[in-house]
Amino acid sequence: MTEHPPVDGGQYGDYEVESFLGKGSIGKVYLARHRRIGRRVALKTVHLEHRFEDDTDESEFYKRLQREAELCGSMQHPNIVTLYDVGYDGDVVRYFATEYIDGESLLARLRRTRPLPMVEAMSIACDVLRGLAYAHAKGIIHRDIKPANILLTAEGQAKIADFGVARPLHSSLTSTRTLVGTPNYMSPEQVRTTPVSPRSDLFSAGVVMYEMLTGIKPFASPELSGILYNVVNLVPASVHEVNPIVPEQVSRVVQKLLAKTPEERYNAAADALADLESGNAPSDVNLTMASNAETVMIPHAYDALTPMPTLVDEMSLGESTDEKSHRGIRRDVPGLVFWIIVVTLVAGLTTSVIALRKGISKQKPVGVITQEQIRLDQAKKAELERARTLTRDGKFEDAIALYDDYLKRHPQSTVARTERDATQRLLDEQTPKTEVEVDTTASSRKKKSDKSSDDDKKSDEEKKEDEKKPGRWERFKRWFRGS
């Protein structure tokens, strides 16, 4: 049989591909539109990356695809993804055209928020149980209920998807010794590879509810063998013990869904739905932790993976390290104490922020130039440049007036004062010099005469001092006389 690789932007029958949505278990998934009626669909193409070991495996695979097409085509329910069309290449299924859900999967939702708000978790749980009740009434067992196969619309409605491993009741198409499903969400009978029933889907739904309400997987373990062992043997803590906001009635419903034997679970999904919607708790469920869970050996195919844990280690295998620490720090805090702590923290944080902002506003950074300073400097430079332009144009008086106006506003500007004096000298040089030269000549003569008279006076005084000064012989006689 041939495989057809998907073509991005190509066409499948009457469907034109618009965009790539993701990768599914059997191929790529595209958003496509029917070219005649315009309906948008999720187009799940068939393109396997592995090769079949033999013709039997290949035949089994395509029979399973055909069975999925037949089962999905027979169901029409608000909580089940609708199958619109199936494309064939001869007798081989090439693609599925299903209802396009403009939203996200429950898996993506749980990655953002764990646990979910109580109202949202209950709404999703009720939608899943409604879808299962309808499928079971049609004689169809899903066998792979998990968050990735539950799609959420933009309005919050849950729809069950991917019936790829579903099977009708009493079908013998799949071998009874084949392990089918996702380990963390399998029922004990699926792990043992014994015949399954609609109650197997109820167990998986209980695991999904437990994860939504507590944020942890009840049977988680680092190893596959540990997960399978926990599914068969471990009785997890009650939901309301892990998350105290969950009502005890809801916790009882989840506990009954997670019963190890199918007979201890609800008879049908409709019964569990009725208890959830009415708030009634099943009376035959004991919420206390089982001290001695029955030890059941898992199939021999898994015996060699890791040594079987003892009953003492059951709780440590049921949770990852992060989940154990999460539960270990959970304590019941009174509402009043909680709000006092919250208000105190908020008040302290607000006070710190206000004080920090005040400190920042008072401390102006050194060396930081503001936009206002930049504008002021540019205006001053422009004004000085105008004065210089007037000077170069020979309009000295206008330039001097501009410099004077500038110095009135900026008296400390040495540049403006120097340029103003230089402009004044240019103006003085431009004025007539005749009278000034006469005056200058007269004044210079006067200065010369005054200087010569001063020199004459000085020479007369020096002469008189020289005359008054005694000679050497006179000074010797005075010294000899002792005078």
Side-chain angles (χ1 to χ4, degrees):
M1 298 183 183
T2 59
E3 296 177 4
H4 298 272
V7 180
D8 295 346
Q11 184 170 324
Y12 289 85
D14 291 329
Y15 298 94
E16 295 178 350
V17 172
E18 291 187 352
S19 62
F20 175 74
L21 293 179
K23 197 171 184 180
S25 58
I26 62 173
K28 294 182 179 179
V29 182
Y30 298 94
L31 173 62
R33 183 184 298 274
H34 195 287
R35 63 186 181 86
R36 295 183 183 275
I37 64 177
R39 178 167 59 192
R40 304 176 82 188
V41 299
L43 200 69
K44 183 167 68 172
T45 62
V46 180
H47 174 57
L48 299 179
E49 295 181 353
H50 66 276
R51 293 185 177 276
F52 297 105
E53 294 183 2
D54 50 42
D55 292 341
T56 303
D57 288 342
E58 184 178 8
S59 176
E60 169 70 18
F61 171 75
Y62 284 106
K63 285 181 180 179
R64 186 176 297 161
L65 290 182
Q66 178 60 30
R67 182 182 61 205
E68 179 181 1
E70 294 171 357
L71 295 179
C72 293
S74 66
M75 293 186 293
Q76 297 287 330
H77 190 272
N79 299 119
I80 296 177
V81 174
T82 303
L83 175 65
Y84 293 136
D85 191 13
V86 181
Y88 289 91
D89 181 13
D91 294 332
V92 175
V93 175
R94 185 185 179 193
Y95 63 82
F96 294 90
T98 66
E99 176 184 5
Y100 170 62
I101 306 299
D102 187 11
E104 63 180 346
S105 67
L106 177 57
L107 177 63
R109 180 72 181 93
L110 286 171
R111 284 174 178 169
R112 292 190 290 110
T113 306
R114 284 176 178 266
L116 294 183
M118 185 67 188
V119 175
E120 182 181 1
M122 294 303 296
S123 174
I124 295 173
C126 289
D127 284 347
V128 171
L129 290 173
R130 290 189 191 97
L132 287 177
Y134 176 83
H136 293 165
K138 289 281 188 177
I140 299 170
I141 307 170
H142 191 282
R143 296 201 300 170
D144 197 18
I145 296 295
K146 59 182 179 181
N149 287 340
I150 299 172
L151 304 183
L152 307 177
T153 67
E155 294 76 24
Q157 184 183 32
K159 290 176 176 281
I160 302 173
D162 200 349
F163 281 77
V165 296
R167 60 177 295 179
L169 287 171
H170 314 300
S171 171
S172 60
L173 182 59
T174 304
S175 171
T176 57
R177 300 302 295 175
T178 302
L179 191 67
V180 177
T182 303
N184 269 307
Y185 303 93
M186 283 182 181
S187 63
E189 53 268 31
Q190 286 176 281
V191 173
R192 297 191 187 99
T193 65
T194 56
V196 298
S197 67
R199 292 180 178 181
S200 300
D201 284 346
L202 296 185
F203 184 92
S204 301
V207 177
V208 172
M209 289 179 61
Y210 194 102
E211 187 175 357
M212 288 193 296
L213 293 169
T214 65
I216 61 175
K217 296 179 176 68
F219 306 114
S221 175
E223 301 293 337
L224 173 61
S225 60
I227 295 173
L228 299 178
Y229 180 87
N230 290 340
V231 169
V232 175
N233 298 281
L234 177 65
V235 178
S238 300
V239 171
H240 75 282
E241 293 178 359
V242 181
N243 186 359
I245 69 170
V246 177
E248 191 171 320
Q249 294 86 341
V250 175
S251 185
R252 287 180 181 274
V253 172
V254 176
Q255 203 76 2
K256 186 166 184 175
L257 290 170
L258 294 179
K260 296 300 181 184
T261 60
E263 294 74 20
E264 294 176 343
R265 300 173 206 151
Y266 283 97
N267 292 326
D271 297 335
L273 177 62
D275 280 354
L276 279 183
E277 291 181 330
S278 64
N280 295 327
S283 58
D284 57 341
V285 176
N286 183 9
L287 288 177
T288 59
M289 190 70 181
S291 58
N292 292 309
E294 179 185 0
T295 303
V296 181
M297 297 303 293
I298 63 177
H300 62 84
Y302 300 97
D303 291 348
L305 291 176
T306 54
M308 285 295 101
T310 62
L311 289 176
V312 177
D313 297 331
E314 285 181 354
M315 282 304 296
S316 63
L317 286 173
E319 301 170 354
S320 64
T321 304
D322 293 340
E323 291 168 347
K324 286 191 289 184
S325 62
H326 175 71
R327 290 185 55 197
I329 63 173
R330 188 183 292 275
R331 296 290 185 272
D332 292 337
V333 180
L336 180 60
V337 175
F338 171 78
W339 285 112
I340 290 175
I341 294 174
V342 170
V343 171
T344 303
L345 292 175
V346 171
L349 180 61
T350 304
T351 304
S352 301
V353 171
I354 294 174
L356 183 61
R357 289 178 64 88
K358 287 183 177 179
I360 292 174
S361 62
K362 289 180 180 179
Q363 298 177 358
K364 293 184 178 179
V366 178
V368 176
I369 300 176
T370 63
Q371 292 294 328
E372 183 64 27
Q373 290 174 328
I374 293 175
R375 286 194 296 269
L376 181 60
D377 290 341
Q378 291 176 346
K380 290 166 66 176
K381 290 179 180 179
E383 194 169 353
L384 288 175
E385 188 61 32
R386 287 197 300 271
R388 293 166 187 154
T389 302
L390 291 173
T391 302
R392 286 195 294 269
D393 294 343
K395 301 177 180 180
F396 303 126
E397 293 180 355
D398 294 338
I400 291 172
L402 193 58
Y403 277 123
D404 291 340
D405 183 63
Y406 183 88
L407 287 169
K408 288 179 182 179
R409 287 180 281 108
H410 309 289
Q412 303 298 327
S413 177
T414 56
V415 174
R417 189 170 300 280
T418 301
E419 292 181 1
R420 194 264 183 206
D421 294 341
T423 304
Q424 182 64 52
R425 286 195 296 272
L426 293 174
L427 178 62
D428 293 341
E429 291 174 359
Q430 191 180 33
T431 56
K433 300 180 180 179
T434 306
E435 296 179 0
V436 176
E437 290 176 355
V438 174
D439 294 340
T440 303
T441 304
S443 60
S444 60
R445 290 177 181 173
K446 183 178 180 182
K447 287 179 180 179
K448 289 180 180 179
S449 60
D450 292 341
K451 185 176 180 180
S452 59
S453 61
D454 290 339
D455 293 338
D456 295 338
K457 289 180 180 178
K458 183 176 180 182
S459 59
D460 294 340
E461 290 176 357
E462 288 177 353
K463 290 177 180 180
K464 289 179 180 179
E465 288 179 359
D466 292 338
E467 292 176 355
K468 291 180 181 179
K469 189 175 181 179
R472 289 182 180 179
W473 177 249
E474 187 66 27
R475 289 199 301 273
F476 174 76
K477 288 191 297 182
R478 289 179 182 178
W479 173 79
F480 184 77
R481 292 174 183 170
S483 57

